[in-house]
Every structure is written in structure tokens, then in C-alpha cells.
Amino acid sequence: MCGIVGYLGHREAYPILIKGLQRLEYRGYDSAGIAIYDGETIKMSKTKGKVSDLIDCVKEEIDTKGTLGIGHTRWATHGVPNKVNSHPHYSNSGNLVIIHNGIIENYETLKKELTKRGYAFHSDTDTEVLVNLIEDIQIKEKIKLGKAVQVALNQVVGAYAIAVFDKNKPNEIVVAKLGSPLAIGIGDDEFFIASDASPFIEYTKNAIYLEDEEMAIIRRGKKIRVRKISDDSLIDPYVQELQLNLEQIEKGGYEHFMLKEIYEQPSAILDTFRGRLLSDQAIIKMSGIEDNMKRFLNAPRIIVVACGTSWHAGLVSEYIFEDLARIPVEVEYASEFRYRNPVINENDVVIAISQSGETADTLAAIKLAKSKGAFVFGVCNVVGSSIAREADAGAYTHAGPEIGVASTKAFTTQITVLTLIALRLARAKGTISSSDFRRHLLELELIPEKVKTALTTDDIVKTIANVYKNSRNFLYLGRGYNFPVALEGALKLKEISYIHAEGYPAAEMKHGPIALIDEHMPVVVIATNKGHYDKVVSNIQEIKSREGKIIAVVTKGDTAVKELADYVIEVPETIESLTPLLTTIPLQLLSYHIAVMLNKNVDQPRNLAKAVTVE
Ligand code: F6R
């Protein structure tokens, strides 16, 4: 997956493009490039590395004058990350320049055809094939750029968000989208192009999100023309007013986005239930659920599809739905579900969870479920994202932009939304008493304050991080509602500190992982006083007798675990189903501090991207 930006207007394009690329680096950061056109010369600079490396290259290589430009930050799919494979790419004549996010699946076949027709390729990318295909069509059929793009895209199999311009058309950029996101910001006599709205938020609040199979011709001083790629029909685009503000997407004094986002959780959770949880009236109001209540109540089961951290939130929801609403739940990795010919019935409800709303596997799982007649409900953070639009109905998490690659506030706000849904369904089904329902609502309302208290463990967590930062392996154990938290804690550590970590249900330890335990193994155990406390204490004893190092997350005031553990981290008491919202906080902090102490790139860990829009 990659980030794309573009500008066409009256200002110098370069600073807008560079700042935009920096905001989009969460989408990929193994190489970056820009092309600027001043009406006479196209100036291109690209490099392996980050946008900061690109800035150095630009200083040495090109003058940046020009009011038309495009830029790209890459997460390699076809071809290793290097200068040649970086975008933008020229066509063979040097007239066309393109940037692309996505994958052209039939690029080998197209490349063979073009090679036969005399085209030469300098990179290993599918994108260079696409730009030459457009050029070939343009020359062969003697048609304008927009038309040539349309004809070319009808020959392409795959996913794309592209922006392309022609040296002979200094006032025009053509964009198109299928499967990868593309937003167009509309200012006064100027246009911005980007993978999401963050690059242009300080310039305009008006944006068009292209739908799949749509393309737009953007011309200086003219109205945007949007067309359907397949049949050329004109479309009247919907211009949205953006709710995002600049402060939300900047670091706000924190050293890293991840830390900022960890600390934003009290307000993010509050935003998630604001207007939905009305404890004074003892109701939960979510239009996506109310409007589709029958489908939920008639569903023989709920299938949850998601990836990574969102999958862990799905696992937590399995406990909540089954426990409170007595609805059977199956939680599936979207990547497995989409390819394993699953049994899906018309009455099934599929809940797709995704922070970005762009994860390719989750999107494909939704499409499969819909094709079998299931009702799909999306739980997304990014408003207007592909999954949010593809789902039949949904609920946003309202966590605000999550920029750090490691998901933090997305996880807790997803759990909050899923808890609200489970409680609402439980009430409608009568599987929860009114007093228990009210108790849950009141307790949920206290969670933001309790998360704040959980955040005060930062100092002890830092001490623990310092002690164990050089460990080669970590084990994370939890039971019941906190088993998925153990998985999530391990994932956080792996992805940003590159330390091997495994999460396990605490009782499973004796079926294998216990063999790993010796004096070098730190074991993080979630042992709150709810759930299977005594059993977890026994597991802790088993670790202790094998000399493992115990870091325990306990409920405030705990005494039994304190006697056994090397370190305890106390979180406030709450009802069992809400404990994941608190126990996950010190685990996020632990991975953060270890990664910082090991000098790792916390916000942009190696090999990862914020939204995985490829398989
Ligand atoms: C982990 C992480 C990934 C994502 C996964 C799904 O910190 O960020 O595991 O959770 O790629 O992404 P979304 O939720 O955007 O579908």
C-alpha cells in the first residue's frame, strides 16, 4: 500500500506535496518521490527511504518551481524498494507521469504485449506497465489523456488509485480509483489529490471521495468532471464537508503519534459512546442497530471478520455477545475466511471490524458475505472508507485519526462500540435484566476516567521496560475476556520492538509453552480479580516455580498476586466484560517504552504499513 498526493492550482506545489507525503507516511515509507511541472519542464526526484530522505534528494537534484505536481510514498509490492522502483514513473516518451497505489494483477501479460510493441521497462513495477499502456492507447487511438486512461483501465485487472498528467497538458491531472482510496480537495481555483484528506485539511474542508470505478479529470479553473470508468457516463459527485481538523492529525507535543494516541484513549472512548449511551434514560441509541434490529434478532449467529488488532477486538466481542446477548459468534481472520469457502447463510450477520476501513482482506470478506446474502455491519474508524461504504450498515468508532502504525485507540474504541451493540441486543432480546443493563451503562460511563488512572502506571511500566528490554522472548497470558488482550499485548511488542512474543490463554500454558519458561523468560500475566482469578493465580505459581519472571496486571488492592510477581501493575476495578479496556493500557505502554529504549522507529515499524490494502 502507498500514499499518493497531488496539487493543481496557483500555489507552489512542492511544499504542499512534501507536507502531504509526511502525513501519508503511515501508508508506506520504504521509498518516496515527486514530480513537479512548471509548464515547460517536468522535474522528478525519488529515492529509497523516507520523505525526509526525499527532501535531501530534492535539494540536490531539482528546482521545485511549479504549480502542478504529484508525489508518492511507497510500500513495496512489485519490485524491491529502490530508487528505480519508486514512483512517479514516466512513460517511454517522457510525456506521461504517473503515481499509483494498488496492484495491477495482469501486468505481466500487459508488459509482454507492450514489449512486443517496442516499449522498454526500467523498473520492476506494475505501475510502469500501466503508464505505458495509457501512452500506447493514446498514440494508437489518437485520443486525449482522460479517454486513454479510461480505455487502459478497462483492460486492467487489480486495484488502483492513480494520478497521471501529460506534458502536453500543463493544466490537467487525471485521477481514477478502484479498490484503493482517493480523495479530491476542492479549494478556490485549486485542487488537492490524496489517499485521505489529511494532506489538504488546512487548505479546504470540501472534498470528493471517488467511488470505485470512477475517474475524474481535474483542470485548472474548471469544474471537476467525474465519470464511470466502465461506461463513460457522467457522475454528479457528492462534495462532503470534512470534520477533521489539523490539530487532530499532528503530534500535539508527544514524542510519537503512538504515545499521543495511547493518551487520547479516555477522550476517544468518550467520543465513541457520546450520544449513544444515555444512562439517565437507561438506553443505548445506535441508528445502525435500531434500523436493522430485526436482522440482528433473527440472526442464528454473528460472524466477525477482521485482521490484526481489529481481529483481537473481534475476539473480545465474542465473549461479550455470547455472555450478554446469548448470540453465537464466530471470529474469523478475514484473510482465511475469504478463501476457504465458508458456510454463510442469508440470515447471518457479519460484523467487519477495521480501523482504516481499507484492509483488502476484510473488504474481500465483506464482498463474499454479501454475495451469499448475509447482512454486513461495519465497525470502522475512518469515515467514508471503502469498508464503511461497502457494508449494509455500520457504526463508526469516532476515535479520530490514528497515525501510529501500531493500533491503540482503535482497539479500545472498537471494543466500546461492540460492547454498546452487545448491550443493546441483550436488552432487546431480554437476556440482560434492566438492573444489570443499567449497571453496565453506568460502569461504561466511568471507563474514560478509569483509563486515565490506568495511564498513571506509566512510571512503573517504564521501570519494567528498562529491566526486560533486552529479553529475546516474552510470553503474555490471560483468560476469558483477557485472553485476547494477551494476544494484543504480544502483537504490540512484536510489531514495534521486534522482540518475539506470544500470547496464550493462561490455562493452555501447561500444554506446551510452559517448556519455554526459565529465568530468562518474562511472562506478562493479566490477573484481574474478575473472571478466573484463582486459576490465574495457580498459573502464576506454576511460572514462579520454574523461575520465570512475572509481570502481573492486577486489580487495585490485589494482595495474592503481589506476593508472587516480580512486578505488579495496578488498574482500577470494573466489571469483567470491561476489563480489557483497562488491562490493555499498560501493555500498550510497555511495548511503547521498550521500543523507544531499543531505539526503534515506533510510529513506522519496519515492513509494516498502516492500512494493508493489498493481499
Ligand atoms: C496492529 C495493526 C494491524 C491492524 C490490521 C488491521 O497494531 O495495526 O494488525 O490492526 O492491519 O487493520 P484495520 O483495522 O485497519 O483493518
Side-chain angles (χ1 to χ4, degrees), residues 259-453:
L259 192 62
K260 174 182 177 238
E261 287 154 10
I262 291 174
Y263 273 87
E264 276 173 352
Q265 286 175 108
S267 61
I269 294 171
L270 193 66
D271 288 343
T272 305
F273 66 62
R274 198 192 302 281
R276 292 168 165 168
L277 188 169
L278 308 173
S279 64
D280 49 338
Q281 300 168 46
I283 53 170
I284 286 171
K285 239 173 54 181
M286 298 175 86
S287 56
I289 301 295
E290 300 311 324
D291 297 347
N292 300 287
M293 188 56 95
K294 265 204 192 130
R295 293 241 33 169
F296 278 99
L297 296 183
N298 292 337
R301 61 176 179 164
I302 291 174
I303 304 169
V304 176
V305 292
C307 302
T309 290
S310 297
W311 184 78
H312 295 155
L315 279 185
V316 175
S317 81
E318 179 178 9
Y319 288 84
I320 313 175
F321 279 115
E322 297 206 342
D323 198 6
L324 302 181
R326 308 304 297 152
I327 304 174
V329 175
E330 287 162 33
V331 187
E332 300 258 6
Y333 283 117
S335 52
E336 287 297 311
F337 180 81
R338 64 181 288 197
Y339 284 124
R340 68 168 182 76
N341 194 16
V343 177
I344 309 167
N345 301 311
E346 275 181 14
N347 285 338
D348 288 335
V349 166
V350 171
I351 298 184
I353 310 172
S354 174
Q355 187 286 128
S356 61
E358 301 295 343
T359 301
D361 285 322
T362 310
L363 196 54
I366 293 180
K367 288 184 177 160
L368 175 68
K370 277 178 78 177
S371 73
K372 307 267 182 206
F375 172 75
V376 177
F377 190 88
V379 174
C380 295
N381 188 34
V382 177
V383 175
S385 55
S386 303
I387 292 174
R389 280 183 279 125
E390 187 68 33
D392 296 302
Y396 286 116
T397 50
H398 298 311
E402 192 180 67
I403 309 290
V405 163
S407 243
T408 51
K409 62 177 179 171
F411 181 62
T412 45
T413 53
Q414 285 164 346
I415 294 174
T416 305
V417 163
L418 293 161
T419 303
L420 290 172
I421 298 172
L423 281 166
R424 178 66 193 96
L425 296 180
R427 197 71 201 110
K429 284 189 74 181
T431 52
I432 190 168
S433 68
S434 57
S435 60
D436 210 13
F437 181 70
R438 193 180 282 268
R439 190 171 68 94
H440 275 80
L441 298 194
L442 291 173
E443 198 53 45
L444 195 47
E445 264 187 338
L446 297 176
I447 286 295
E449 272 310 307
K450 293 188 179 183
V451 171
K452 271 189 201 160
T453 310

Side-chain angles (χ1 to χ4, degrees), residues 527-575:
T528 56
N529 65 4
K530 297 283 160 30
H532 315 274
Y533 178 71
D534 294 340
K535 307 242 183 259
V536 178
V537 174
S538 305
N539 296 140
I540 291 176
Q541 260 150 352
E542 289 158 12
I543 302 163
K544 178 113 186 136
S545 55
R546 284 157 185 87
E547 295 182 29
K549 303 292 175 236
I550 299 155
I551 303 156
V553 179
V554 299
T555 310
K556 187 160 180 55
D558 178 281
T559 49
V561 176
K562 241 177 223 163
E563 281 179 19
L564 297 168
D566 295 87
Y567 291 94
V568 291
I569 305 165
E570 291 188 331
V571 295
E573 177 148 17
T574 187
I575 49 183

Side-chain angles (χ1 to χ4, degrees), residues 121-139:
F121 295 92
H122 311 285
S123 75
D124 304 318
T125 63
D126 48 348
T127 308
E128 198 189 3
V129 175
L130 178 59
V131 72
N132 282 303
L133 178 66
I134 298 168
E135 175 157 289
D136 189 49
I137 291 166
Q138 204 185 18
I139 295 170

